[in-house]
Amino acid sequence: MRLDKFLANMGKGSRKEIRIFVKAGIVTIDGKPAKSFDQQIDPEKNIVKFQGELVQYKPFVYLMMNKPAGVLSATEDSHGKRTAVDLVGEEYSMYDLSPAGRLDLDTEGFLLLTNDGDYIHNVISPKKKCNKKYYARVSGKADADAAQKFENGLVLRDGTECQPAKLEFLSDSEIYVTIHEGKFHQVKKMSKAVGLEVEYLKRLSIGGVALDETLGPGEYRELTAEEKETIVHE
Ligand code: URA
C-alpha cells in the first residue's frame, strides 16, 4: 500500500498534507525517515511512526450500521442504486467491506459490515445459530398456531424448509421474529405462510447485540470488542 494512502486512511491528514509531512521528515518507517510519500509499505510488517508515535494498523474492521430503506446491502450489481458500503466514509476506504447477511432494499436496521470473511461466514452460517431478531408491522390474520408453526420449522409454499424460529406478538399488527438463517425474504415468506403480510421490517439485533439506538438511518460505528465476541465466538 502507498504510504500516503495508508496515512490518510489512518486520519493523519490529506494526501497533500502528507506529502509535506514526509518531506519534513516526521514520518519514519522502521526507524528511518520515509523516502517519499508514494513509497510502498506493508502495514502489517513495517513500523510506521508519525511524529514519533506508532500508527496502529487494524487488519479488520467491524461496523454496525443502521441501514435505511432504499439502500442496497449488496456491494455489486447495484445498477446505480446506493449501497450500504457507499454510505461508509473515506476513513474506511482501504477496507474491502461486505455485509454479513443482506437486508432487502425496503428493510431497515442492523447491518454488519466487515472485511473479515471468516467472521461473515460465522454470522450467516445456519450451523452457528447466530440469531437475528426483527420487528415487523404486519396486516392480515395470523393462524391460531402461528407461533407453534414457527417453532416447529415451517415449510414454505415452494417447499423450502426453514429451521425452527420464534414468533412473538406485540399486538395484532406488530410482531418480533427471530431466525438464525438468512434465506431470501425469509421473514416475509415465513410470515406470509401463517397469514401475515409484512408491511415494514427492521432488524433489531444480531447474535444478541442490539442495534445502537443512537445511530440514525445511514449512520454507523465500529463494534466494540465485546460486541464482536458476543455476536459470534471465534
Ligand atoms: N427477511 C426478509 O424477508 N427480509 C429481510 O430483509 C431480512 C429478513
Side-chain angles (χ1 to χ4, degrees), residues 65 67-68 70-88 97 99 105 111 113:
M65 175 181 279
K67 182 186 112 46
V71 167
L72 283 175
S73 42
T75 46
E76 288 161 20
D77 295 331
S78 60
H79 300 293
K81 283 210 177 69
R82 260 193 330 161
T83 71
V85 173
D86 294 335
L87 301 180
V88 177
L97 297 172
L105 187 65
L111 187 69
L113 295 163

Side-chain angles (χ1 to χ4, degrees), residues 58-64 92 97 112-117 119-120 221-224 227-228 234:
K58 288 183 284 189
F60 297 120
V61 287
Y62 306 85
L63 301 179
M64 169 195 283
Y92 294 104
L97 297 172
L112 203 162
L113 295 163
T114 178
N115 58 332
D116 183 342
Y119 194 77
I120 292 180
R221 67 157 170 81
E222 288 192 25
L223 290 180
T224 64
E227 286 171 338
K228 184 195 154 231
E234 302 290 317

Side-chain angles (χ1 to χ4, degrees), residues 78-192:
S78 60
H79 300 293
K81 283 210 177 69
R82 260 193 330 161
T83 71
V85 173
D86 294 335
L87 301 180
V88 177
E90 252 294 292
E91 70 271 32
Y92 294 104
S93 64
M94 69 194 288
Y95 298 102
D96 189 15
L97 297 172
S98 296
R102 294 182 179 188
L103 292 177
D104 297 336
L105 187 65
D106 60 352
T107 303
E108 297 177 8
F110 193 165
L111 187 69
L112 203 162
L113 295 163
T114 178
N115 58 332
D116 183 342
D118 291 341
Y119 194 77
I120 292 180
H121 172 79
N122 287 339
V123 171
I124 66 179
S125 166
K127 283 192 199 130
K128 297 283 173 183
K129 297 211 177 352
C130 172
N131 279 329
K132 289 93 190 174
K133 184 172 181 180
Y134 295 84
Y135 163 84
R137 273 201 301 274
V138 292
S139 62
K141 179 108 187 65
D143 296 357
D145 57 350
Q148 190 60 51
K149 283 185 173 164
F150 267 56
E151 217 174 297
N152 295 345
L154 266 177
V155 180
L156 302 176
R157 275 186 206 151
D158 63 3
T160 307
E161 290 178 21
C162 299
Q163 292 192 6
K166 193 169 167 189
L167 170 64
E168 297 164 90
F169 284 89
L170 294 169
S171 69
D172 282 349
S173 60
E174 290 179 299
I175 56 173
Y176 288 139
V177 173
T178 306
I179 56 177
H180 58 258
E181 299 173 285
K183 293 187 163 70
F184 188 55
H185 295 330
Q186 188 165 352
V187 172
K188 291 172 185 167
K189 286 182 179 170
M190 288 179 81
S191 302
K192 203 175 173 81

